[in-house]
Amino acid sequence: MDEAQKSRLFELADLIAAVGRQIHASKEGMTTESWTALDIAVMRYIDRNPGTSARAAADATQQISSNFSRALRGLERKGFVHRETDQEDARRVRLYPTARAQENLRRLHDLWSDLLDGVVSDQDEVDATIATLRRMEAGLAEKARKWRDSPEAAPRKA
């Protein structure tokens, strides 16, 4: 990769991070709960994958089990996640968002939609940006999975 491409990709990552900070800051005052980046990642995954296992959610959020477990316990204490025993295998537990989590997500949906309204108004541009960001998220997740499964990452798996 040449230096010009490196600079463009750095600027893209920097702008995504800056926009993310602006969006994240907009939810201040929406709730009295404090949310870490890990809480948000775990809740996002459970919202999008109700009935997931803790292991699948930990892998998807790229967390070691102890950090993931701590975040999950915190979300349970706050009333955003509940566990249910798997009907087919009582040794497994499934994770589900609660009604409180769904209400929180609805408020966040309204807040962020209002925040971006008028900032990007061309529907084709919005659709293209969504498609690009989805491809980026999937590509980054795949890179992370390949790294975790590589021999170089083996010492970190402990």
Side-chain angles (χ1 to χ4, degrees), residues 122-151:
D122 180 270
Q123 193 57 50
D124 291 337
E125 186 179 7
V126 171
D127 292 343
T129 302
I130 290 169
T132 298
L133 291 172
R134 282 183 178 156
R135 280 194 313 276
M136 290 175 69
E137 180 183 27
L140 290 169
E142 179 63 17
K143 270 189 156 182
R145 186 194 60 73
K146 285 180 180 176
W147 169 251
R148 280 192 316 272
D149 294 344
S150 73

Side-chain angles (χ1 to χ4, degrees), residues 18-32:
V19 168
R21 282 189 296 274
Q22 293 284 339
I23 291 171
H24 184 74
S26 74
K27 72 179 185 51
E28 294 303 318
M30 185 184 103
T31 179
T32 59

